[in-house]
Amino acid sequence: MFESRRQRGNRRNGPSYRGSRQNGDRASAVFYKLVKDENAVMRSKVDALKFIDGMVSMESKAELLLLLDDERYCGPTRLKEALVFMDVSNDVDKMLIPILRCLVNRETNRPLYKRPRNRMISTINSIPGIYSILNEPDVLDSLTLQSAEVLVTFLETAVLTIAEARSSFEIKSLVRGLMKNNIGGTEKLSALLLLENKMPIKVTSTSNAKYDDGSFAVACWVSDQQEPGGRHDNDFRNFRDIHLVPTHDEILCPTAPWLPLASQENAFIENKDIRMLDANFRLLREDAVCSMKNNIEERKRVWQNARIIAFNLGFDNGRNKAEPLSFLVQLDSKYAKAAINWERSRALPHDGVVALIDPNNTKIFRLGTITVRKFQEKGAWLCNKQGPVIGISFHRPEDIQTSIDEAIQNMEILAKTNLNGVSFLESDVDKRMWDNVEGSFVSYDLVEVSGSFFSYKPILSALQNMSSIPLARELVFLDASGGRPSYIPPRVKINNKYFDLDDWSNDKVIESMSLDKSQVEALHHTLMSRVALIQGPPGTGKTFIGSLITKILRDNTNESIMCICYTNHALDQFLESLHDQGERNIVRVGGRCKSDKIKCYNLKDLSKQKTEMSSEARKRMKSVIERLKECHEEITNLTNQLSEPISWKKPRGGISSVLEIENPVVYNHIMSLDSLVDGFEIVGKNNKRIDSEALFQQWTKGARCPEYVLPYVEVEDTDVTAQIHAFWSIDKNERMNLAQGWGKSLFDDRYQALHEEFAAFEALCSERDSIYRDCDLQILRDARVIGATTCGAAKYRDILFENSPGVVIVEEAGEVLEPHIITALCEATAYTKETKHLILIGDHLQLRPKVESYKLSAASGFGYNFDYSMFERLIKSGFPSAMLQVQHRMRPYISNFIRSQTYPSLIDHPSTHEFQDVKGVDKNVLFLDHDSPEQGCDADSLETKTKANAYEAHMCIEIVRYLLLQGYKHEQIAVLTPYVGQVLKIIDVLKASMQEVNAYVSELDEEVIQTALSEGADASFVSEPHKPKSIRCSSIDNFQGEESDIVVMSLVRSNKSGNIGFLKEAQRVNVLLSRAKIGLYMVGNRTTLCQSSKGGHIWEPIFNRLERDGCLLKGFPVVCQLHPEDGPICIQRPDQFKECCPNGGCTRPCNSRLICGHSCPMACHPTDKEHLNAHKFCVNQCRRIPPECPFNH
């Protein structure tokens, strides 16, 4: 039979642990003997106590932990053996508590040691009867307070990391006993285990609901009233037991999941902290899973003939790099006519969730995640000529085993073409040979289930690992009476002057700084509140006030400050503003930085440049890399054996190894032929030697016991003789069944060994990552300002909170889902400090956070209101806030739109009254009304399945051309629209009609466009923002927080039914009306917008004002800058621009004298007044002598 991992490990060479202190005393000697020698025996409680004393004597508990966790030794086994001797109440304090102190402490809580620590905790948790002893009468009473607190810390760690611990009745009973003794921390434990009885939640006007306007939705669905648990194999009462990646059963379950209503009327958890964690986890996960179910049902992205062709461990001996186990899956490309730009494509994204499905129905065979996505190598991986190849990791043991089976079958088929899974990736296979074998593979349809799950996963995982809500006084109980954060001194220095926070004078601060009154009030509110809310309407300088607050806190305190933004673009902008103020002690966490100023502060780059591993980390890394190499070799060997045919001695002992254990009499009987008899061998026909393998083959074929074997059958032991006769008396069919059973047993052993090695390899990869993270921690400790996206903050949560940043500032907080902010906060534990100050800067009256599932939004009316941000929830609950009131962006006519509808107290800064009029247009603000119908896209179209309007696209581009001819720069103009389909339409029109101009979109818009393309993302769309003469085209949603001098707006919707989609939402209208600084030109259908039953009331007052002021027209009013006396011309069709103003002026001939001496042949043009380029259009023959004219005519 096969060896265990430890037995295999003992055969390998590896580093030797000596410990940080070996004094030669008896306890240390016993400890090291028992740990390192598997033949040593722990005979008595005395040995167990000496073993424990040896653990305690090690100065470095981290080194002790690594020694116990080393697979070459017997650490976990010895821990179990030692605690088995614990049989009386006094033993708990003498034996269990010292062990727990060694394993659960500040040193072992570092990210570098959490994984081995959790494995040791799991070992203790699995000891039979350990909790029974702790639950015996008087055991808890006999513990000292310090011992009881150690036990509580251990239980909390176990409950957070081990699902079995959360469901253990003995642990629940133990926690109740600790609560009776008033031990600190037991209330949190009780909440984690959901021990409280269900209490009916009475909904009142002061309930901490997502909204507080009396319009609570009533739960009327059975699923909302029935508590979670039992619907499918991934439905649990405790949200920490839920697997992040959905299971087959969950995807196919027809019953809707339990989801918490915003009113909390269906709440089942009494503890409000845990209730909030539970609600945010379930709603966020449902947002991800709901779209997965839809994608499987609709099969939006299907790749045919998906087959597993090999295993992938991705281990590079030279660079010591390793990737977790994945299966190489090859697909048939459905893009036969067009090459895919895999570098830019959103198809098959890394960390995307995929499903292997029966091609003929919706049966799901397996769910997995894409862990290998390589596009750099020509002709290999995604660029393979026989179809793209990716690496997929499966999560369930049965899925892994099935995948191994199929990989072996398909590898055997590949072997017939003289290929294996690795060489196949890089080979140019003969088409005829490939056609012959292609249909023989075990294959499926592969459906792209989710390309965005990677962004959900770190947040969900962080929520499961949290035991409480930081700043719960404010965030959970809405108590704002906490006052000034404790870390802020009573007097702060601002612009080299000191100000008393308790005797604050707005006027004195205004004199010292160039701030308006609302900014000063917001600053004071922030410095005096543990949770500060600053509402910033459009153009009021939210980023400015955020960077100012950051600078003041940095200059007056020693706390590190973490700046959180939802998008990479917003994060770069915020950090740039700090950089411009002189801040250099910055670390940016995560990739995808586009700012040239901030790129050098990226954590990954700083880690490469500045950090050397500590000796401790180097030693650990060396051990991990060595074990990875060994593991890789073992997996390679086992994989090769799986494809070998099973025989008597192969692989690794074959069936003989099974019989040696299961039937040693028969084993010895058959093996006796391999021994010489009086110096002779037994031979058969052609003098061929008869050995044990030949004898076994005869037996499997049904032969009788050969005569030459009979002398070895009759032995003195009659029982042995009887067993051997019985063995040869078995009929042929039964023999075949037995042989197949032994082969299966051998096969199962190999599978088990392979599974163990796979698990070990992945654990080692994770451990290697933890070591790298520990190196990153050294840089973060020295940083004063840490920048991260919400997703990045959750992904790097362990190392970020090891440093416990005291201040968290969230930019555009109104756009961020609540769980993203919760997981960015640090909770108070035995080893970390709670976040001291949370500053939310945003505007809940602009766009809400995006959710994938419409039913979770407030607009759906289902009552979940998941798209209410923390910012909006707190403000609508009456939580104190400050509001910025002076806008610096828009000319007053534009700001009047949002002032009249949304911000009545908004003030225009004097500088906005000085903006110049838009050149060449009779109006600075205009709505061009038309009745050209919108277009939708059918299923066969290559465009996105959203709305578009061809007339508006052409009209907007002609307006842009005209504005460029007035002398405006490309970067001064932006084209906005609510629909991604119209963004693409506008780009297509711009490329066709203005070839010298480049259209580009933001990173967020590019992702949306690529995802929305009905045939997947291909090479037909590439955004190049750094090209000269580039015009920004954007969806309205992804332009929030940005501005442009002139905005040209295509509203798209034009129909008889009054259906206006996104434009019925007041927040979106607020954003689209507030992006322009000096000019706003909207193209749309007034009748459609006003007829909307849900949005008409928003648009009607806007049109009334535009009509009153003569800004509602049927055409675009152009005015010649050089001949304004001619008056405006109203252009209604795109082609009229070239007729009426071909060069941006009017149709009059220019006739100005060129430097060549001729008259300018162009029509009136307001630009190039010096005619530096106009001579190129002169076609008159030059009469100068000599005849060679310098102007080429």
Side-chain angles (χ1 to χ4, degrees):
M1 301 294 280
F2 282 84
E3 301 166 306
S4 66
R5 290 207 79 253
R6 182 164 57 80
Q7 289 171 326
R8 292 193 294 276
N10 285 336
R11 294 190 286 102
R12 307 167 183 163
N13 295 321
S16 175
Y17 286 89
R18 296 186 58 83
S20 58
R21 186 179 77 178
Q22 285 194 57
N23 296 325
D25 56 74
R26 181 62 181 160
S28 293
V30 170
F31 170 74
Y32 282 100
K33 176 71 173 175
L34 289 168
V35 169
K36 293 188 174 184
D37 186 354
E38 65 177 351
N39 296 316
V41 179
M42 192 180 293
R43 294 182 176 84
S44 64
K45 184 183 291 187
V46 174
D47 287 346
L49 288 169
K50 288 178 179 177
F51 173 83
I52 294 169
D53 288 343
M55 290 178 61
V56 174
S57 69
M58 286 191 70
E59 291 179 359
S60 172
K61 296 301 183 278
E63 192 166 349
L64 166 66
L65 181 65
L66 297 179
L67 176 61
L68 291 171
D69 188 54
D70 195 319
E71 64 179 24
R72 296 172 296 136
Y73 303 139
C74 315
T77 302
R78 300 310 186 202
L79 277 179
K80 290 181 178 181
E81 290 175 353
L83 291 175
V84 164
F85 288 105
M86 188 175 67
D87 55 4
V88 295
S89 60
N90 291 337
D91 289 342
V92 174
D93 240 339
K94 292 179 181 179
M95 303 179 74
L96 177 62
I97 299 302
I99 289 176
L100 299 185
R101 281 199 175 101
C102 290
L103 299 180
V104 185
N105 52 66
R106 182 176 294 277
E107 187 179 2
T108 60
N109 192 62
R110 285 174 54 192
L112 182 61
Y113 303 111
K114 279 188 176 180
R115 292 181 184 277
R117 181 204 65 182
N118 291 346
R119 285 193 288 268
M120 291 303 102
I121 289 175
S122 181
T123 296
I124 294 174
N125 182 77
S126 65
I127 297 175
I130 188 168
Y131 294 119
S132 299
I133 294 174
L134 291 171
N135 276 309
E136 288 181 2
D138 302 328
V139 169
L140 294 182
D141 294 335
S142 67
L143 295 178
T144 64
L145 178 61
Q146 291 79 8
S147 296
E149 289 174 346
V150 170
L151 180 59
V152 168
T153 303
F154 162 77
L155 290 173
E156 182 179 336
T157 308
V159 166
L160 282 171
T161 56
I162 306 170
E164 292 79 6
R166 290 190 289 272
S167 60
S168 168
F169 291 107
E170 289 182 316
I171 288 181
K172 292 178 181 179
S173 175
L174 181 59
V175 171
R176 290 189 180 99
L178 289 166
M179 289 182 70
K180 289 180 182 178
N181 292 348
N182 296 319
I183 305 300
T186 51
E187 288 187 5
K188 183 189 285 188
L189 254 180
S190 173
L192 292 174
L193 292 167
L194 305 183
L195 293 184
E196 309 94 331
N197 293 324
K198 178 182 175 182
M199 300 289 289
I201 306 300
K202 183 179 180 182
V203 181
T204 66
S205 61
T206 58
S207 293
N208 183 20
K210 284 270 187 177
Y211 53 102
D212 193 14
D213 56 7
S215 59
F216 296 130
V218 178
C220 60
W221 300 277
V222 174
S223 59
D224 284 335
Q225 296 291 7
Q226 179 188 346
E227 290 185 11
R231 290 169 174 80
H232 48 75
D233 61 359
N234 199 26
D235 183 32
F236 299 99
R237 193 168 184 268
N238 194 323
F239 75 94
R240 301 176 205 282
D241 295 331
I242 298 173
H243 298 290
L244 299 186
V245 179
T247 62
H248 310 179
D249 194 26
E250 179 179 7
I251 291 289
L252 299 176
C253 180
T255 307
W258 180 89
L259 294 173
L261 292 165
S263 63
Q264 303 190 36
E265 60 194 279
N266 65 338
F268 69 95
I269 299 174
E270 177 65 14
N271 182 281
K272 290 187 176 182
D273 280 40
I274 305 301
R275 188 194 307 165
M276 184 176 286
L277 289 172
D278 177 274
N280 280 282
F281 176 88
R282 293 183 190 275
L283 290 171
L284 182 63
R285 187 173 180 277
E286 175 62 15
D287 194 41
V289 173
C290 188
S291 63
M292 291 184 188
K293 291 181 178 179
N294 292 337
N295 288 338
I296 288 177
E297 289 175 5
E298 298 173 12
R299 296 197 176 203
K300 291 182 178 178
R301 280 185 173 177
V302 181
W303 299 78
Q304 297 176 341
N305 201 19
R307 60 265 181 192
I308 300 174
I309 59 171
F311 307 106
N312 178 64
L313 293 175
F315 188 77
D316 186 335
N317 274 304
R319 301 170 65 188
N320 289 334
K321 289 190 174 181
E323 298 168 348
L325 164 72
S326 62
F327 293 89
L328 299 186
V329 177
Q330 188 179 42
L331 314 163
D332 280 353
S333 175
K334 60 178 179 176
Y335 302 96
K337 296 181 180 179
I340 303 173
N341 182 347
W342 286 109
E343 183 176 2
R344 305 190 71 90
S345 173
R346 295 282 292 168
L348 304 172
H350 190 274
D351 275 340
V353 179
V354 295
L356 297 183
I357 295 182
D358 190 315
N360 301 315
N361 54 53
T362 57
K363 181 180 178 182
I364 301 174
F365 288 97
R366 259 156 287 168
L367 284 167
T369 54
I370 299 174
T371 51
V372 181
R373 185 185 191 274
K374 298 181 180 180
F375 54 83
Q376 297 89 346
E377 301 173 50
K378 186 176 180 181
W381 293 95
L382 286 170
C383 304
N384 191 289
K385 291 184 178 180
Q386 279 68 46
V389 178
I390 55 176
I392 299 178
S393 292
F394 299 104
H395 309 284
R396 301 193 311 170
E398 56 267 37
D399 290 344
I400 294 173
Q401 183 161 339
T402 304
S403 299
I404 292 172
D405 281 340
E406 292 176 3
I408 292 168
Q409 288 180 254
N410 291 340
M411 286 163 69
E412 289 176 354
I413 296 170
L414 286 171
K416 296 176 182 178
T417 62
N418 295 319
L419 294 169
N420 57 49
V422 177
S423 65
F424 177 72
L425 292 175
E426 304 171 356
S427 299
D428 189 3
V429 183
D430 182 85
K431 189 175 188 304
R432 287 175 298 176
M433 183 185 297
W434 177 247
D435 290 341
N436 290 335
V437 300
E438 187 178 14
S440 306
F441 292 112
V442 180
S443 62
Y444 306 92
D445 278 354
L446 182 143
V447 177
E448 293 188 55
V449 176
S450 173
S452 60
F453 188 69
F454 67 92
S455 64
Y456 289 86
K457 197 172 180 180
I459 308 292
L460 292 170
S461 180
L463 286 169
Q464 284 187 321
N465 290 321
M466 293 182 71
S467 58
S468 62
I469 299 287
L471 297 169
R473 179 176 182 172
E474 290 82 6
L475 301 183
V476 179
F477 298 97
L478 303 178
D479 181 0
S481 63
R484 173 170 52 85
S486 59
Y487 77 98
I488 297 179
R491 298 180 75 241
V492 295
K493 186 179 180 181
I494 306 175
N495 268 13
N496 296 318
K497 291 184 179 180
Y498 283 92
F499 296 91
D500 192 331
L501 293 178
D502 296 322
D503 187 22
W504 184 265
S505 170
N506 288 341
D507 294 335
K508 289 181 180 179
V509 179
I510 292 173
E511 288 176 9
S512 174
M513 305 180 69
S514 300
L515 300 178
D516 61 62
K517 183 179 178 182
S518 67
Q519 289 174 323
V520 173
E521 290 175 347
L523 177 60
H524 186 240
H525 166 73
T526 300
L527 297 175
M528 294 297 289
S529 308
R530 294 206 321 158
V531 174
L533 308 180
I534 301 177
Q535 183 187 356
T540 53
K542 293 187 287 295
T543 299
F544 168 78
I545 198 70
S547 58
L548 175 63
I549 289 169
T550 303
K551 185 177 186 305
I552 292 172
L553 294 178
R554 188 226 189 274
D555 293 344
N556 288 275
T557 73
N558 295 320
E559 291 293 334
S560 57
I561 303 165
M562 186 158 70
C563 304
I564 302 292
C565 299
Y566 180 67
T567 65
N568 283 287
H569 175 73
L571 178 62
D572 288 344
Q573 278 189 323
F574 190 80
L575 294 179
E576 275 187 355
S577 68
L578 294 176
H579 186 274
D580 292 342
Q581 292 184 14
E583 181 59 63
R584 296 296 182 269
N585 197 352
I586 298 172
V587 175
R588 189 190 189 282
V589 177
R592 304 178 76 177
C593 176
K594 302 296 183 182
S595 167
D596 292 333
K597 291 181 182 178
I598 304 301
K599 278 181 180 178
C600 59
Y601 299 103
N602 188 276
L603 175 61
K604 189 173 290 186
D605 295 331
L606 290 173
S607 182
K608 291 176 182 177
Q609 297 169 10
K610 298 182 179 180
T611 306
E612 289 187 5
M613 284 189 184
S614 63
S615 58
E616 179 184 15
R618 280 199 303 270
K619 179 181 177 181
R620 187 79 184 121
M621 182 64 81
K622 181 180 178 182
S623 172
V624 167
I625 294 299
E626 286 179 355
R627 289 159 66 190
L628 274 169
K629 290 178 181 177
E630 295 163 358
C631 217
H632 183 265
E633 291 172 3
E634 190 66 25
I635 290 174
T636 302
N637 292 335
L638 288 169
T639 303
N640 291 336
Q641 292 165 24
L642 282 168
S643 57
E644 288 184 38
I646 295 175
S647 63
W648 174 247
K649 289 187 177 180
K650 292 182 180 180
R652 283 197 182 179
I655 290 177
S656 66
S657 64
V658 179
L659 280 178
E660 185 178 10
I661 295 172
E662 295 186 5
N663 197 331
V665 170
V666 171
Y667 169 79
N668 291 330
H669 165 66
I670 297 176
M671 291 297 292
S672 63
L673 266 68
D674 291 344
S675 304
L676 291 177
V677 182
D678 297 329
F680 295 96
E681 293 180 341
I682 300 175
V683 297
K685 293 181 179 179
N686 300 322
N687 289 326
K688 186 177 180 180
R689 183 188 173 193
I690 306 268
D691 58 9
S692 57
E693 185 157 3
L695 183 62
F696 180 73
Q697 287 297 324
Q698 291 185 32
W699 179 83
T700 57
K701 293 176 181 178
R704 295 185 178 182
C705 182
E707 293 183 4
Y708 54 79
V709 176
L710 291 175
Y712 306 101
V713 175
E714 303 297 334
V715 295
E716 294 182 1
D717 191 330
T718 55
D719 289 339
V720 170
T721 301
Q723 287 186 51
I724 295 173
H725 279 298
F727 176 70
W728 285 100
S729 300
I730 300 171
D731 65 64
K732 183 178 179 179
N733 291 336
E734 182 63 21
R735 291 184 189 188
M736 292 299 295
N737 291 336
L738 283 170
Q740 288 175 2
W742 293 327
K744 184 179 183 306
S745 178
L746 183 66
F747 210 62
D748 290 344
D749 288 342
R750 281 185 290 176
Y751 268 131
Q752 182 61 35
L754 192 58
H755 281 308
E756 288 179 5
E757 293 296 336
F758 281 156
F761 191 89
E762 293 196 348
L764 288 168
C765 286
S766 299
E767 206 160 324
R768 178 210 54 198
D769 294 341
S770 296
I771 297 171
Y772 283 130
R773 293 274 179 90
D774 197 64
C775 297
D776 294 340
L777 181 59
Q778 298 176 41
I779 293 175
L780 291 171
R781 281 179 177 149
D782 297 330
R784 284 302 308 275
V785 178
I786 301 168
T789 61
T790 53
C791 189
K795 186 176 180 180
Y796 290 88
R797 197 167 190 272
D798 274 357
I799 59 170
L800 285 173
F801 296 151
E802 180 76 12
N803 194 38
S804 298
V807 185
V808 174
I809 300 177
V810 184
E811 260 276 286
E812 294 292 357
E815 279 190 280
V816 183
L817 287 168
E818 183 150 356
H820 289 245
I821 295 179
I822 290 174
T823 55
L825 305 177
C826 185
E827 56 186 318
T829 68
Y831 317 111
T832 58
K833 297 177 182 178
E834 184 181 39
T835 299
K836 300 172 183 177
H837 200 178
L838 173 61
I839 303 165
L840 303 178
I841 305 172
D843 184 10
H844 62 290
L845 299 179
Q846 295 187 57
L847 291 174
R848 285 179 172 144
K850 297 174 184 176
V851 292
E852 293 290 330
S853 175
Y854 178 72
K855 76 173 183 180
L856 299 180
S857 68
S860 72
F862 280 83
Y864 303 119
N865 298 4
F866 185 48
D867 61 345
Y868 270 45
S869 63
M870 176 186 286
F871 189 90
E872 182 171 6
R873 174 175 69 85
L874 291 175
I875 281 190
K876 289 198 171 182
S877 298
F879 201 83
S881 64
M883 180 176 173
L884 304 175
Q885 294 183 334
V886 180
Q887 71 89 13
H888 300 249
R889 174 187 297 164
M890 299 160 276
R891 66 179 334 120
Y893 191 90
I894 298 175
S895 64
N896 275 335
F897 287 119
I898 61 174
R899 182 166 32 248
S900 61
Q901 290 197 295
T902 313
Y903 311 102
S905 61
L906 188 66
I907 300 170
D908 297 321
H909 191 270
S911 62
T912 62
H913 293 269
E914 299 174 5
F915 290 161
Q916 294 183 349
D917 291 334
V918 178
K919 293 179 288 188
V921 188
D922 190 44
K923 304 289 183 182
N924 295 315
V925 178
L926 169 74
F927 189 97
L928 195 162
D929 186 21
H930 70 89
D931 57 5
S932 298
E934 67 193 43
Q935 296 89 39
C937 297
D938 57 45
D940 297 326
S941 173
L942 289 178
E943 299 177 0
T944 60
K945 296 178 181 178
T946 65
K947 299 297 181 182
N949 192 304
Y951 167 81
E952 290 189 10
H954 284 87
M955 199 68 186
C956 287
I957 292 306
E958 289 303 323
I959 292 173
V960 168
R961 184 206 300 273
Y962 179 79
L963 292 170
L964 290 172
L965 291 172
Q966 305 310 306
Y968 289 107
K969 297 178 181 178
H970 296 77
E971 57 268 25
Q972 288 182 281
I973 304 171
V975 184
L976 307 185
T977 180
Y979 291 94
V980 68
Q982 184 71 347
V983 172
L984 277 175
K985 190 73 175 176
I986 289 170
I987 290 173
D988 288 343
V989 173
L990 187 146
K991 286 182 177 179
S993 60
M994 300 172 66
Q995 296 180 0
E996 74 282 3
V997 177
N998 173 56
Y1000 78 96
V1001 299
S1002 68
E1003 188 175 313
L1004 283 175
D1005 268 323
E1006 185 172 3
E1007 289 180 2
V1008 175
I1009 289 171
Q1010 300 285 31
T1011 302
L1013 289 171
S1014 61
E1015 291 297 324
D1018 57 26
S1020 64
F1021 176 78
V1022 177
S1023 178
E1024 299 174 295
H1026 300 297
K1027 273 192 172 183
K1029 297 184 178 180
S1030 293
I1031 293 288
R1032 172 73 180 275
C1033 299
S1034 177
S1035 64
I1036 292 168
D1037 288 16
N1038 289 328
F1039 206 72
Q1040 177 164 324
E1042 299 187 59
E1043 61 185 33
S1044 181
D1045 285 346
I1046 302 175
V1047 169
V1048 180
M1049 185 86 61
S1050 168
L1051 297 178
V1052 180
R1053 302 315 299 263
S1054 179
N1055 54 68
K1056 296 179 181 179
S1057 59
N1059 185 354
I1060 62 174
F1062 296 141
L1063 297 176
K1064 67 178 181 292
E1065 298 174 16
Q1067 290 94 339
R1068 187 166 281 104
V1069 176
N1070 182 19
V1071 172
L1072 71 87
L1073 290 173
S1074 58
R1075 300 303 99 194
K1077 296 178 69 176
I1078 64 172
L1080 173 62
Y1081 300 108
M1082 296 175 280
V1083 184
N1085 185 322
R1086 173 189 180 175
T1087 304
T1088 298
L1089 293 168
C1090 291
Q1091 282 182 346
S1092 170
S1093 59
K1094 294 183 178 180
H1097 67 285
I1098 299 172
W1099 286 98
E1100 193 66 45
I1102 296 172
F1103 286 119
N1104 290 340
R1105 181 164 174 265
L1106 289 167
E1107 190 170 29
R1108 182 193 68 206
D1109 298 333
C1111 297
L1112 178 62
L1113 302 175
K1114 289 290 184 179
F1116 190 76
V1118 299
V1119 176
C1120 180
Q1121 291 187 52
L1122 302 180
H1123 308 98
E1125 65 275 9
D1126 290 350
I1129 299 174
C1130 201
I1131 296 179
Q1132 298 185 21
R1133 300 191 318 272
D1135 59 328
Q1136 287 181 305
F1137 279 92
K1138 291 183 179 179
E1139 296 174 5
C1140 301
C1141 46
N1143 296 319
C1146 58
T1147 55
R1148 294 185 186 186
C1150 177
N1151 287 333
S1152 296
R1153 181 70 61 183
L1154 301 177
I1155 54 178
C1156 64
H1158 301 126
S1159 297
C1160 177
M1162 297 175 63
C1164 179
H1165 52 95
T1167 56
D1168 192 22
K1169 294 179 181 179
E1170 292 79 15
H1171 292 81
L1172 298 177
N1173 295 313
H1175 69 272
K1176 296 177 183 178
F1177 300 95
C1178 180
V1179 295
N1180 294 325
Q1181 185 175 358
C1182 188
R1183 299 181 181 274
R1184 293 185 176 184
I1185 299 175
E1188 291 81 12
C1189 178
F1191 303 108
N1192 299 318
H1193 62 269

